[in-house]
Amino acid sequence: MSGTNSERELIAEGPAIILVEPQLGENIGMVARAMANFGLAELRLVNPRDGWPSEKARSAASKADHVIDQTRVFETLEEAIQDLNFVYATTARERYGFKPVRSPVVAATTLREKFRAGEKTGILFGRERWGLTNEEVALADEIVTFPVNPAFASLNIAQAVLLMSYEWMKTGLDDVAATPFQPVEQRPSTKEQVFGLFEHLEEALDARGYFHPPAKKPKMVDNLRAVISRRGFSEQEISVFRGVISSLDRFPRRWSKKTGSAGEAPENDDD
Amino acid sequence: MSGTNSERELIAEGPAIILVEPQLGENIGMVARAMANFGLAELRLVNPRDGWPSEKARSAASKADHVIDQTRVFETLEEAIQDLNFVYATTARERYGFKPVRSPVVAATTLREKFRAGEKTGILFGRERWGLTNEEVALADEIVTFPVNPAFASLNIAQAVLLMSYEWMKTGLDDVAATPFQPVEQRPSTKEQVFGLFEHLEEALDARGYFHPPAKKPKMVDNLRAVISRRGFSEQEISVFRGVISSLDRFPRRWSKKTGSAGEAPENDDD
């Protein structure tokens, strides 16, 4: 479950992620990985405590080298965002002020709209221990905050970046129900195939006296057919079931470990 | 940004998170933290490599002790899910088979519906390095997979749990645009307040000869009023602006560092 795959499309666009005075290289690396997972690529650092470049960051980025290699460092937040048109500040704490507060879904939708309109955008994330100052939040256009458990609201920085990156990725999908891969395609069964299963099963059971007493047979058949019908089996599934019935119907049990009594156990049978 | 807050509601309900043969205690701890962030509380471990309990897990859980303390360990996956009604398997790899594949949004919606109907549900997560086996996936009802960057699809286990927990939390919200806190409430301004701002500003500018030549004044006033009107300022914001205009209008500049020429610099001024 790791590493880049050069044969597959590498998505690398969207808002810049700006980390203000990040402390640990590992966190910067995990941020880069989270960004890469969801198609973001532009990482900016304001005054990282342990300097830059950082081998710890590169290692924690799990091969998100395209993010690490392009990371830019700034001395002040003002410099880090001067070329951007619209900036969100992330915060878990209520801030006293008039600035609009958005959920991640709304913020990601706004970022996607601005991206499509050609605007440059960014999302600010604060220090690991205490986030952004009020002065830093004031430089942003709007606030984004996460719908967390009220009694356990602390998200680490890489998790916060992951969630915003994930919501960003989702706004680029035509359908949030879409998945990158699908189950094997199955053809819906025709009624003829369903009736074939009914008859096959009922004949095999009838031959064993399953429908007893005979007066109850119509009701028993009804119930059996109801169980099978409501599952909406595909053509392939009906084929599987008919194979199962044939096997049970035609062949004797060859041997049984438990009782040794049912059928014959051939001498050279492999376990 | 860390720790529980005993005065706030602790949400602890919803699907069980089942980790199959997790290797690192740190990852188990980060999973517990991610669960706690989004209101999940029931963690089950199948055969954790380094045993249980784990001090590394507790430390990485950042005080999600209510999750760590209740974590249960099982020897097999079958035992770990035997009491559940419906189970998702998470996987990043395409699996050959007929099992339905869902996006996180769809899976979380299904889990919420089943939770509300009183069913017990769970979500399986595989080993850090290679996920779930096909046999393990086969024990689940459906598959859930994430909409990731095709060339950078590797999510770590805590991130995968975080995303599913986050989507779970969102399905419990009445409105995905809702935020846990809001900006200071502002009263929309009345037209009388807007006209007051117009007049105040225009009078102060007129007194300085801003509207020059006089023939252009109507057009200049129109433009100025258009700039102000389209912002939809609140009552409070209009009050701020009128204070600014009054200050600029009434008081001389006391001193200027750059030129030393504008207004008077009092001798005892503090910088």
Side-chain angles (χ1 to χ4, degrees):
Chain A
M1 287 179 75
S2 75
T4 54
N5 184 327
S6 57
E7 293 162 19
R8 299 184 178 195
E9 184 193 5
L10 180 70
I11 305 172
E13 60 184 20
I17 298 295
I18 301 118
L19 307 184
V20 179
E21 298 191 347
Q23 296 170 298
L24 299 173
E26 288 88 339
N27 286 335
I28 300 171
M30 288 173 70
V31 162
R33 178 181 179 175
M35 291 171 62
N37 282 142
F38 295 106
L40 297 181
E42 189 173 353
L43 178 59
R44 302 179 180 193
L45 308 177
V46 177
N47 201 14
R49 186 189 67 183
D50 297 337
W52 192 260
S54 157
E55 276 315 305
K56 285 182 178 173
R58 185 174 294 277
S59 167
S62 296
K63 301 187 184 165
D65 292 331
H66 63 291
V67 178
I68 294 292
D69 289 341
Q70 296 175 56
T71 297
R72 284 189 289 160
V73 177
F74 299 86
E75 285 192 15
T76 67
L77 177 55
E78 285 86 343
E79 289 173 84
I81 64 175
Q82 64 181 357
D83 61 319
L84 303 182
N85 300 111
F86 189 90
V87 173
Y88 272 107
T90 56
T91 176
R93 288 198 305 277
E94 181 158 3
R95 308 282 178 154
Y96 183 83
F98 299 151
K99 214 172 278 290
V101 181
R102 309 298 187 194
S103 76
V105 172
V106 172
T109 304
T110 299
L111 289 167
R112 181 67 67 173
E113 285 165 3
K114 291 183 180 292
F115 174 73
R116 286 178 176 150
E119 291 190 39
K120 292 189 73 173
T121 59
I123 315 172
L124 311 184
F125 295 84
R127 299 148 190 87
E128 286 93 332
R129 297 217 170 269
W130 48 277
L132 295 167
T133 65
N134 288 334
E135 291 70 25
E136 287 158 353
V137 171
L139 294 179
D141 293 278
E142 298 189 352
I143 286 171
V144 58
T145 193
F146 298 94
V148 285
N149 196 350
F152 201 86
S154 115
L155 281 179
N156 83 21
I157 188 172
Q159 289 171 326
V161 170
L162 183 82
L163 294 180
M164 279 308 301
S165 305
Y166 168 70
E167 289 290 5
W168 161 260
M169 173 71 103
K170 284 204 302 179
T171 60
L173 302 175
D174 293 329
D175 174 10
V176 292
T179 54
F181 57 88
Q182 278 77 41
V184 173
E185 201 175 330
Q186 296 184 63
R187 292 177 297 280
S189 56
T190 63
K191 290 304 170 201
E192 183 185 22
Q193 291 161 337
V194 176
F195 300 158
L197 175 60
F198 287 168
E199 284 161 24
H200 190 168
L201 180 58
E202 288 158 19
E203 193 280 325
L205 291 171
D206 218 9
R208 287 162 174 78
Y210 175 87
F211 299 109
H212 183 81
K216 283 201 175 169
K217 179 173 175 183
K219 184 67 185 162
M220 291 174 83
V221 166
D222 270 2
N223 288 346
L224 198 59
R225 291 184 173 191
V227 169
I228 294 168
S229 302
R230 73 179 279 225
R231 264 60 205 182
F233 291 125
S234 68
E235 192 177 308
Q236 290 95 323
E237 288 169 324
I238 285 186
S239 171
V240 167
F241 273 107
R242 293 197 63 165
V244 167
I245 296 165
S246 290
S247 176
L248 291 168
D249 183 32
R250 291 194 212 153
F251 303 108
R253 183 182 281 263
R254 294 166 75 194
W255 56 276
S256 160
K257 265 188 179 166
K258 278 187 183 159
T259 68
S261 64
E264 308 161 46
E267 286 182 353
N268 295 325
D269 195 26
D270 294 332
D271 193 1
Chain B
M1 285 180 76
S2 77
T4 56
N5 184 327
S6 58
E7 294 163 18
R8 299 183 178 195
E9 184 193 6
L10 180 69
I11 304 173
E13 61 183 20
I17 297 296
I18 300 119
L19 306 185
V20 179
E21 300 192 343
Q23 295 170 297
L24 299 174
E26 289 88 339
N27 285 336
I28 301 172
M30 288 173 70
V31 162
R33 177 180 180 176
M35 291 171 62
N37 282 143
F38 296 106
L40 297 181
E42 190 174 351
L43 178 59
R44 303 179 180 193
L45 307 177
V46 177
N47 201 15
R49 187 189 67 184
D50 296 338
W52 192 260
S54 159
E55 275 316 305
K56 284 182 180 172
R58 185 174 294 277
S59 166
S62 296
K63 301 187 183 166
D65 292 332
H66 63 291
V67 178
I68 294 292
D69 290 340
Q70 295 174 58
T71 298
R72 285 189 289 160
V73 176
F74 299 86
E75 284 191 13
T76 66
L77 177 55
E78 286 86 342
E79 291 172 83
I81 64 174
Q82 64 181 357
D83 62 318
L84 303 181
N85 301 111
F86 189 91
V87 173
Y88 273 106
T90 56
T91 176
R93 287 198 306 278
E94 180 158 3
R95 308 281 178 155
Y96 183 83
F98 298 152
K99 214 172 278 289
V101 181
R102 309 299 186 193
S103 76
V105 171
V106 171
T109 304
T110 299
L111 290 166
R112 181 66 68 173
E113 285 165 3
K114 291 183 180 293
F115 174 74
R116 287 179 175 148
E119 291 190 41
K120 292 189 71 174
T121 59
I123 315 172
L124 312 183
F125 295 84
R127 299 150 191 83
E128 286 93 331
R129 296 217 171 269
W130 46 277
L132 296 167
T133 65
N134 288 334
E135 292 70 25
E136 288 159 353
V137 171
L139 295 179
D141 294 277
E142 298 188 350
I143 286 172
V144 58
T145 193
F146 299 93
V148 285
N149 196 351
F152 201 85
S154 116
L155 280 179
N156 84 21
I157 188 173
Q159 288 172 326
V161 171
L162 182 83
L163 293 180
M164 279 308 301
S165 305
Y166 168 70
E167 289 290 6
W168 161 260
M169 173 71 105
K170 284 204 301 179
T171 60
L173 302 175
D174 293 330
D175 174 9
V176 293
T179 54
F181 57 88
Q182 279 75 42
V184 173
E185 201 175 330
Q186 297 184 60
R187 292 178 296 280
S189 56
T190 62
K191 291 303 170 202
E192 183 185 22
Q193 291 162 337
V194 176
F195 299 159
L197 175 60
F198 288 167
E199 283 162 22
H200 189 168
L201 180 59
E202 290 159 16
E203 193 280 326
L205 292 172
D206 218 8
R208 286 162 174 79
Y210 175 86
F211 298 111
H212 183 82
K216 283 200 175 172
K217 180 174 175 184
K219 185 67 185 159
M220 290 173 84
V221 166
D222 271 1
N223 287 346
L224 197 59
R225 291 183 173 193
V227 169
I228 294 169
S229 304
R230 74 179 277 227
R231 263 61 204 182
F233 291 125
S234 69
E235 191 178 311
Q236 290 95 322
E237 289 170 325
I238 285 186
S239 172
V240 167
F241 273 107
R242 292 197 62 167
V244 167
I245 296 166
S246 290
S247 177
L248 291 169
D249 183 31
R250 291 194 213 152
F251 302 109
R253 182 182 282 264
R254 293 167 76 195
W255 56 275
S256 162
K257 265 188 178 167
K258 278 189 183 159
T259 68
S261 63
E264 308 163 46
E267 284 183 357
N268 294 325
D269 195 27
D270 295 331
D271 191 4

